[in-house]
Amino acid sequence: MSTYIIALFLGVFFGFALNKAGLTKYHKIVNVFRLTDLAVLKFMMTALIVSMSGLYLLRGLGLITFPNVPATYIAGNVIGGLIFGVGMALSGFCPGTCAAGSGEGKLDYLIPGVLGFLVGAALYGLTYPQVFPAISAIANVGNVVIPDLWNLSPFFTVVLFAVLSIFLFYLIDRAGLHRKDRA
Amino acid sequence: MSSIIAYIRRDEWSPYVAGILLGIVGVMAVWLSDSLLGASGAFENVVGIIGKAIAPDVFNNMYFNFIMPPEISWGVILLVGIFFGGMLGAATSGTLKWGKRDAANSDEQWKQIFGRQTWKRWAVAFVGAIILEYAAGIAGGCTSGLAISGGMLLAPAAFLFIAGMFASGIVTAMLVYRRRY
């Protein structure tokens, strides 16, 4: 029971963050792909820096163990990402932002969006035996993390990721590394 | 204090501030629940429940029996929370769309490109959502379940997914916007 209450609270903060980052707006999502507004990228990279620092620190202190690491099977991860990008650039949402936008009362998220996710989930589940085992067998490296895979220090990997991301933010914000909107 | 409240009430925060909040939520999910954030998996749990109720023979397969069983999982509750979180966020800035005239199709940029007809927006939202959910299945998660949750653990899968998503997202936006890209 208490774990459900935690899930509910974490979900509220998650949806709140999506709303405040502007990700529940069609133009915000599409404009990251038009490279005219990179807020989505900044939001995602910042979340990654904070969460990976926190998690590797807590693991280093022995306070947590990592849950099931998402599996790396190169062809499936990339092909799935390629198809996902098409859906995201067309609709201007993704499963999480659609749920948050539905709560805001956006009916195009709540009705065709949620119905579409349910139809897509049914199609995927029903075709799973024909599709997933084959695609996940290609270049499957299992449930690995980069520091173990490449034999790097976790501390070094996290710091490197943070430094590269902050350099990217610098280029975007100070050097104007984005396109001008002419739409 | 009042400036903090004023900031909370803003329609849009700095993406860096909102990103820090999401990062903390990601850490807390692991620390408190030993779980990863996600959204696409919850739709699979829910459709399993619906499918088993209306067409039990069709949904009696490996996937809906064992891999994504039909249950109110941690992720389903999280998804309900996301719904109310979006509601709370919009309420604090007075931008809730419930009962508003433009609730069915509210984005000005969309209307500029595709026109004002609601059916067009709904058709693209429906087809887009099917594509997104199917793709998330193949990839092993969506923007939250794979890109954020995998990325924060430094799983290569997350970065492969993000690269694919941006590559095709950029091409798709070019094709949709043409001269206005």
Side-chain angles (χ1 to χ4, degrees), chain A residues 4 20 25-28 31 33 56 72-73 77 82 91 103-104 107-108 124-125 127 145-146 173 179, chain B residues 8 10 12-13 16 61 72 92 97-98 103 107 109 121 134 137-139 153-154 157 168 177 180-181:
Chain A
Y4 274 13
K20 290 299 180 187
K25 295 169 179 151
Y26 163 84
H27 68 267
K28 210 65 172 180
N31 290 351
F33 295 131
Y56 275 91
T72 297
Y73 40 98
N77 300 141
L82 287 170
S91 65
E104 294 174 19
L107 299 180
D108 48 339
Y124 179 70
T127 54
V145 295
I146 289 172
D173 288 337
R179 298 171 64 245
Chain B
I8 289 172
R10 275 168 57 167
E12 264 179 36
W13 288 1
Y16 301 124
N61 80 347
I72 304 291
T92 56
K97 291 288 177 196
W98 293 104
D107 196 274
Q109 184 175 312
R121 169 64 187 149
Y134 200 92
I138 292 175
L153 301 172
L154 288 166
S168 71
Y177 278 73
R180 286 182 284 191
Y181 184 82

Side-chain angles (χ1 to χ4, degrees), chain B residues 12-181:
Chain B
E12 264 179 36
W13 288 1
S14 153
Y16 301 124
V17 177
I20 291 170
L21 176 59
L22 176 57
I24 295 170
V25 173
V27 173
M28 287 301 165
V30 174
W31 200 1
L32 301 177
S33 280
D34 196 30
S35 301
L36 293 173
L37 300 177
S40 57
F43 285 104
E44 290 166 354
N45 293 133
V46 171
V47 89
I49 297 171
I50 300 170
K52 292 230 179 235
I54 58 177
D57 295 340
V58 179
F59 283 80
N60 181 26
N61 80 347
M62 174 176 45
Y63 193 74
F64 290 112
N65 287 341
F66 304 110
I67 294 159
M68 273 291 171
E71 61 185 18
I72 304 291
S73 60
W74 191 89
V76 174
I77 303 295
L78 184 80
L79 195 70
V80 173
I82 295 172
F83 177 91
F84 287 108
M87 186 185 283
L88 184 66
T92 56
S93 57
T95 52
L96 280 173
K97 291 288 177 196
W98 293 104
K100 295 279 166 61
R101 197 145 27 105
D102 66 343
N105 183 19
S106 55
D107 196 274
E108 286 308 318
Q109 184 175 312
W110 169 279
K111 291 178 197 166
Q112 269 177 28
I113 303 297
F114 295 91
R116 313 193 70 82
Q117 304 98 314
T118 299
W119 71 266
K120 266 192 198 169
R121 169 64 187 149
W122 283 40
V124 174
F126 182 66
V127 173
I130 296 176
I131 295 171
L132 284 164
E133 185 71 22
Y134 200 92
I138 292 175
C142 59
T143 354
S144 20
L146 184 55
I148 297 293
S149 296
M152 71 189 190
L153 301 172
L154 288 166
F159 301 101
L160 295 167
F161 175 77
I162 293 172
M165 175 183 114
F166 270 94
S168 71
I170 288 169
V171 172
T172 306
M174 281 178 171
L175 293 173
V176 169
Y177 278 73
R178 304 279 177 90
R179 272 183 301 122
R180 286 182 284 191
Y181 184 82

Side-chain angles (χ1 to χ4, degrees), chain A residues 152 154-166:
Chain A
L152 299 168
F155 176 77
F156 170 78
T157 316
V158 172
V159 170
L160 181 69
F161 183 87
V163 168
L164 289 176
S165 302
I166 291 165

Side-chain angles (χ1 to χ4, degrees), chain A residues 80-95:
Chain A
L82 287 170
I83 306 173
F84 195 89
V86 174
M88 201 161 159
L90 286 175
S91 65
F93 54 58
C94 61

